Amino acid sequence: MGGLLILNGSFISRKGEPGDFDCLFVYDNATARMIENDDEALELLSYERSKEKGYGDIFCLSSDAVRIFPTFCHLDMFDTDKVSKRPKGVVELEI
């Protein structure tokens, strides 16, 4: 699977033992085709499965959705602290 991965939460903090991860995954067209034909691949991107197993929050968008609906697909969803509303850092990487 490939695309843009935006990581947030204790996983990227200085915590000695992070509890979980929070991420937004904007998957590429090859991954979109993969999840259309492979239930296991689709399962890996399941928000419910991730929460059930205690991994954290994974939000997924296709790159096409981001391109077609940019006002709906907020890639900056983790850019502010949820309590203080102040700007904060995240980790973004292409995978």
Side-chain angles (χ1 to χ4, degrees):
M1 294 185 176
L4 174 67
L5 185 64
I6 302 171
L7 294 165
N8 180 44
S10 63
F11 186 79
I12 64 163
S13 71
R14 292 184 187 197
K15 271 189 173 177
E17 295 182 35
D20 66 356
F21 64 83
D22 302 301
C23 70
L24 172 62
F25 180 47
V26 181
Y27 55 86
D28 59 23
N29 290 333
T31 302
R33 288 188 299 278
M34 181 188 304
I35 63 176
E36 285 177 8
N37 301 309
D38 185 337
D39 290 340
E40 281 187 77
L42 180 60
E43 181 81 5
L44 288 173
L45 301 181
S46 167
Y47 177 86
E48 291 81 13
R49 178 181 178 266
S50 179
K51 288 300 277 187
E52 179 182 286
K53 295 198 178 269
Y55 298 152
D57 297 310
I58 181 169
F59 302 96
C60 299
L61 300 168
S62 71
S63 58
D64 284 345
V66 171
R67 183 178 41 78
I68 296 167
F69 306 106
T71 57
F72 177 74
C73 301
H74 296 279
L75 301 186
D76 60 353
M77 66 186 288
F78 294 128
D79 287 1
T80 56
D81 183 87
K82 65 183 173 185
V83 176
S84 70
K85 306 297 183 211
R86 292 174 47 193
K88 65 175 185 152
V90 296
V91 172
E92 294 185 19
L93 59 133
E94 289 286 333
I95 57 171

